[in-house]
């Protein structure tokens, strides 16, 4: 059975120190991919862009700087849980978003009620989907 948790959060897209604008961001968590959260950014004039990354990264990043590589999450102020920065990077291009912490925590709390942290592996169909995906990837590599 496929279950999900969704929320919409308004975030500031920080273009530069002088320029930012607020955009809607859809947060989504699905039991079919229990380790990940998906954030879909609705930028004006562009098609929505979705990033998927570890749910645990978002959980940890609310309280302390986390992440390596393409996704980094950190509180704006180390001693305050008021706001969070989410940095997404591809090569030398990056986008920086600022969000109030409260709606993120509320969303993460709902995901934890659906699948408690640490219990992701207990979802039987997740292993089946993983096996199918690995078989497909290996078949594509063998054909290429």
């Amino acid at each position: 059975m496929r279950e999900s948790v969704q929320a919409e959060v308004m975030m500031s897209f920080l273009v530069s120190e002088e320029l930012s604008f607020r955009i809607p961001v859809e947060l989504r968590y699905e039991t079919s991919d229990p380790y990940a959260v998906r954030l879909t950014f609705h930028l004006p004039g562009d098609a929505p862009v979705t990033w998927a990354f570890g749910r645990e990264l978002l959980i940890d990043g609310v309280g302390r700087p986390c992440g390596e590589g393409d996704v980094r999450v950190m509180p704006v102020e180390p001693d305050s849980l008021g706001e969070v920065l989410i940095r997404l990077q591809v090569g030398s291009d990056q986008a920086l978003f600022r969000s109030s912490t409260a709606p993120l925590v509320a969303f993460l709390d709902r995901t934890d009620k659906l699948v408690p942290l640490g219990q992701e592996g207990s979802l039987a169909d997740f292993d089946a989907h993983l096996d199918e995906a690995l078989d497909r990837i290996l078949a594509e590599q063998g054909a290429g």
Side-chain angles (χ1 to χ4, degrees), residues 45-58:
D46 287 333
V49 175
T50 301
W51 279 70
F53 55 89
R55 173 173 68 153
E56 197 167 348
L57 172 62
L58 188 57

Side-chain angles (χ1 to χ4, degrees), residues 6 49 52 56 68 77 96 128:
Q6 290 181 187
V49 175
E56 197 167 348
E68 296 179 16
E77 295 179 23
L96 188 61

Side-chain angles (χ1 to χ4, degrees), residues 112-124:
D112 193 60
K113 286 183 171 82
L114 184 60
V115 179
L117 192 62
Q119 299 298 311
E120 298 91 347
S122 67
L123 298 175

Side-chain angles (χ1 to χ4, degrees), residues 28-88:
R28 186 169 185 86
Y29 176 79
E30 296 180 350
T31 56
S32 62
D33 190 2
Y35 292 99
V37 292
R38 285 176 172 65
L39 279 65
T40 300
F41 299 89
H42 298 273
L43 299 167
D46 287 333
V49 175
T50 301
W51 279 70
F53 55 89
R55 173 173 68 153
E56 197 167 348
L57 172 62
L58 188 57
I59 291 169
D60 291 345
V62 166
R64 62 180 175 80
C66 289
E68 296 179 16
D70 296 345
V71 180
R72 296 186 185 199
V73 182
M74 68 209 74
V76 171
E77 295 179 23
D79 298 329
S80 170
L81 296 178
E83 292 183 307
V84 172
L85 292 174
I86 300 172
R87 191 188 79 183
L88 307 173

Side-chain angles (χ1 to χ4, degrees), residues 127-143:
D127 289 333
H129 289 299
L130 181 60
D131 288 341
E132 290 173 17
L134 288 174
D135 288 344
R136 210 171 39 251
I137 290 168
L138 292 173
E140 289 172 4
Q141 287 179 343

